[in-house]
Amino acid sequence: MSVRVLAAMSGGVDSSVAALLLKQQGYDVVGCSMHLYSCNRPASKSCCSAEDRLDARNVCEKIGIQFISLDYRSLFREKVIAPFIDEYQNGRTPSPCVLCNQHMKFRALLEEAEKHGAVAVATGHYARVEMRDGAYRLLRGADPKKDQSYFLFTLTQENLKKIYFPIGGLTKDEVRKIARDHGLPTSEKKESQEICFVPDNDYASFIESIRPSGIAGPGNFVGTDGKILGRHKGIHGYTVGQRRGLGFGVGARQYVVRIDPRTNEVVLGSGGDLLKREMTVGGVSWVDSKRIAQRAIEVQIRSTHAAAVATADPIGACQVKIRFEKPQRAVAPGQAAVFYSGDEVLGGGFID
């Protein structure tokens, strides 16, 4: 009897090819789509739609595997959407994809896998898992342009032994070619560059529509010297490093350098004011707790950020102080900070 694997199917080309490769390798694959959020978005927008689940079903039919759909909307609202709104209303910049991976794909789906007699969950992430020196190592994907290891730092040794990333060693072009060669209906499907549950990437309007009662309302833009520069529409509409969309000009180019929820102020400054050499990171978890003694690491503070050399000093059970070798731009509280040693993910947390 072949080994059963539950394949997470988003309706995109990456997860489609991941399921296909597992089938070709002889696994008994069950394709699974999660109904996470009903946002009534146009079909041209790729995520969270009924069209995506239909695409996933069609791929499963094409490659000859079972398909199931799971309604996780309530759990998604609790574990991803509510914290997302909380963070913006508290003047922080959330990392919802990290929470989605942690709670939905690699907690809820791992539990679902057991119900279906599956030994593992597979996804279309561009990341890799290898066994080295008696422990599982989480590594960057082979395609540096598509690497998604940044969003996976919460995975543990117990998780990694039950997770497969079938396309982690491939490039996006190679994945597209496999999809075309096998006639998969998702082979030319475009990728979404947005947060899946936020229509048109308009975070402020989304928050206002879901939880208007928690919005502090308009306040002051102030300079780093405390001088009032103008009025903002609400701190939930801004993030550290933002330049566009401020709604006014004050001569020299200005950036959001800090957000203060206590005073309802958005602090503006120069590009130089965005540079920080130190930060604290909370909610820290380690892929392999036996390796946390390593001090010289590289730290990535955004999904598009080039990891920077730093040292890490524990200052609590789940908190570390990071000191960068060179100052880094736009260190945003709430964003994930992920610790690497070369291509290996050591762990990570959220910027305090």
Side-chain angles (χ1 to χ4, degrees):
M1 179 179 293
S2 58
V3 175
R4 175 166 289 183
V5 175
L6 189 68
M9 304 285 287
S10 68
V13 65
D14 297 328
S15 59
S16 299
V17 171
L20 171 67
L21 293 176
L22 288 171
K23 176 70 181 302
Q24 291 177 334
Q25 292 165 15
Y27 289 100
D28 174 15
V29 184
V30 177
C32 174
S33 281
M34 295 181 289
H35 188 183
L36 300 178
Y37 187 70
S38 296
C39 52
N40 301 315
R41 295 171 65 176
S44 60
K45 300 293 187 180
S46 177
C47 210
C48 280
S49 69
E51 287 85 359
D52 294 315
R53 293 191 297 279
L54 179 59
D55 286 341
R57 179 186 292 274
N58 289 338
V59 168
C60 289
E61 290 180 358
K62 175 71 176 179
I63 64 180
I65 63 174
Q66 181 184 349
F67 173 81
I68 60 175
S69 180
L70 300 169
D71 189 345
Y72 283 159
R73 285 176 292 180
S74 178
L75 185 64
F76 190 71
R77 285 194 297 269
E78 175 191 351
K79 297 297 186 181
V80 180
I81 293 179
F84 175 87
I85 295 174
D86 288 342
E87 289 286 77
Y88 268 117
Q89 290 185 338
N90 288 319
R92 292 163 60 90
T93 304
S95 298
C97 293
V98 172
L99 297 183
C100 183
N101 282 312
Q102 179 182 11
H103 296 290
M104 310 308 299
K105 295 185 179 72
F106 302 118
R107 183 167 296 167
L109 278 190
L110 280 169
E111 293 175 359
E112 191 69 28
E114 291 186 9
K115 297 177 185 178
H116 290 271
V119 300
V121 166
T123 71
H125 282 96
Y126 287 87
R128 295 172 292 146
V129 178
E130 293 182 4
M131 173 65 77
R132 295 180 185 172
D133 302 323
Y136 292 97
R137 307 300 185 201
L138 175 61
L139 307 174
R140 289 189 184 276
D143 187 340
K145 294 180 181 179
K146 301 303 298 180
D147 170 52
Q148 293 170 304
S149 61
Y150 172 85
F151 302 107
L152 303 173
F153 72 85
T154 62
L155 296 179
T156 64
Q157 290 292 298
E158 186 65 23
N159 296 147
L160 291 176
K161 70 180 181 181
K162 301 176 182 178
I163 293 172
Y164 299 161
F165 297 129
I167 66 168
L170 302 174
T171 65
K172 184 72 177 193
D173 288 343
E174 289 170 334
V175 168
R176 290 277 190 198
K177 185 177 186 305
I178 292 170
R180 293 189 196 103
D181 290 347
H182 289 82
L184 299 187
T186 55
S187 61
E188 304 302 329
K189 190 170 182 178
K190 294 182 179 179
E191 296 178 277
S192 172
Q193 300 299 320
E194 306 169 0
I195 299 296
C196 69
F197 55 87
V198 180
D200 303 318
N201 222 27
D202 188 348
Y203 304 146
S205 294
F206 174 80
I207 293 167
E208 291 161 10
S209 68
I210 299 296
R211 198 194 293 166
S213 61
I215 295 172
N220 290 326
F221 282 120
V222 300
T224 53
D225 59 359
K227 181 181 178 180
I228 296 176
L229 302 175
R231 296 285 287 175
H232 65 72
K233 299 178 181 179
I235 62 173
H236 64 287
Y238 304 90
T239 187
V240 171
Q242 181 177 337
R243 176 174 67 85
R244 297 179 180 177
L246 300 181
F248 72 101
V250 291
R253 182 173 291 180
Q254 298 285 296
Y255 300 85
V256 175
V257 298
R258 191 171 71 255
I259 299 171
D260 192 337
R262 296 169 301 174
T263 60
N264 197 29
E265 292 177 332
V266 176
V267 182
L268 303 181
S270 67
D273 292 323
L274 285 173
L275 297 175
K276 304 295 180 184
R277 187 180 290 274
E278 295 183 351
M279 67 180 183
T280 56
V281 178
V284 172
S285 63
W286 302 94
V287 175
D288 180 3
S289 60
K290 297 177 181 178
R291 304 196 65 199
I292 63 176
Q294 183 168 348
R295 290 170 54 91
I297 57 175
E298 298 93 49
V299 179
Q300 187 170 331
I301 58 173
R302 288 181 296 281
S303 61
T304 57
H305 175 250
V309 176
T311 56
D313 291 302
I315 53 177
C318 298
Q319 191 177 44
V320 298
K321 185 166 188 174
I322 299 295
R323 181 174 175 81
F324 291 104
E325 188 176 272
K326 297 179 180 178
Q328 299 300 301
R329 183 182 178 88
V331 178
Q335 282 280 277
V338 183
F339 315 143
Y340 289 86
S341 175
D343 278 352
E344 182 182 353
V345 177
L346 300 176
F350 299 94
I351 299 170
D352 287 334

